[in-house]
Amino acid sequence: MAKQARSLRTHELVLDAAAAEFVRHGYPRANLQHVAARTGLTKGALYAHFASKEQLARALTDHFDQVVDELLTRHKDADLPAHEQLRALCCALAERVESDVRFNAALRLVMDEAQSAPETPRLPADLRALSAESLADLAVVILVGAYYTAPDPERRGLAERVRGLWDAVDGRQAVEETGAR
């Protein structure tokens, strides 16, 4: 039983190390030797847990899908107008990016892959199920735009930036600025 628990801890450690590598370098430039070094494992021991970089990326994007499903369910059932549902969902996603390195890495992996994929990525399609296409597209622009223009790979302050962008869209920022003068 102790060996199984240690193996599970190592598995989790590898996922966190891989996530940090994908956050910083994206899929093409991520290096499994760096992942192994972060964990203190040999590359061979790393491969005992994940056979390839692709398998590591898939584990992270599976985590992403689970979190998105959970957040979609939570915000879809809220008794709010579609615009407010999207705002709340985008803010929750941004908070998760800041607090969960695996989710952060998976969002980067999903968005990077979307640039060459023949179909629309799942997240925009899911958002369109909540609202009109143009409003869902705005939500994606806010979230992804704030993500890619964040000043550091950990995306610190992302949730605050996303809330600020929604405030600007809603006209709240203009009202606050006008009232302050």
Side-chain angles (χ1 to χ4, degrees):
M1 192 72 159
K3 183 177 181 180
Q4 207 173 23
R6 187 178 67 220
S7 178
L8 184 57
R9 280 193 310 272
T10 301
H11 185 84
E12 297 297 314
L13 183 66
V14 169
L15 283 172
D16 287 342
E21 182 73 6
F22 287 129
V23 162
R24 290 213 171 265
H25 303 290
Y27 184 86
R29 292 186 4 233
N31 183 313
L32 291 186
Q33 187 62 48
H34 295 158
V35 174
R38 282 178 189 260
T39 60
L41 297 173
T42 64
K43 205 167 176 186
L46 175 74
Y47 281 120
H49 289 274
F50 293 95
S52 65
K53 183 165 68 168
E54 183 178 316
Q55 197 177 67
L56 269 166
R58 172 68 6 218
L60 293 169
T61 57
D62 287 348
H63 171 69
F64 177 85
D65 289 343
Q66 289 174 323
V67 170
V68 169
D69 287 344
E70 169 197 317
L71 292 174
L72 278 168
T73 299
R74 184 181 317 153
H75 290 88
K76 192 171 24 175
D77 294 339
D79 191 23
L80 295 171
H83 177 261
E84 288 299 317
Q85 285 180 353
L86 283 174
R87 177 192 171 97
L89 179 59
C90 279
C91 290
L93 290 166
E95 289 166 3
R96 193 62 182 252
V97 166
E98 283 187 77
S99 66
D100 181 349
V101 69
R102 294 179 193 180
F103 189 81
N104 184 345
L107 181 57
R108 177 166 183 180
L109 291 167
V110 167
M111 290 298 119
D112 288 353
E113 183 181 347
Q115 294 176 19
S116 61
E119 63 222 19
T120 302
R122 181 180 160 216
L123 183 60
D126 287 343
L127 294 177
R128 288 181 183 142
L130 286 178
S131 180
E133 186 173 330
S134 59
L135 192 54
D137 287 347
L138 176 63
V140 170
V141 166
I142 288 172
L143 180 63
V144 175
Y147 181 89
Y148 277 111
T149 59
D152 65 33
E154 285 76 31
R155 287 17 186 226
R156 288 182 286 268
L158 182 67
E160 184 179 328
R161 292 181 73 216
V162 166
R163 278 190 290 279
L165 289 168
W166 274 106
D167 286 350
V169 167
D170 291 343
R172 293 178 188 172
Q173 187 174 18
V175 170
E176 291 171 7
E177 289 173 1
T178 304
R181 289 182 193 161

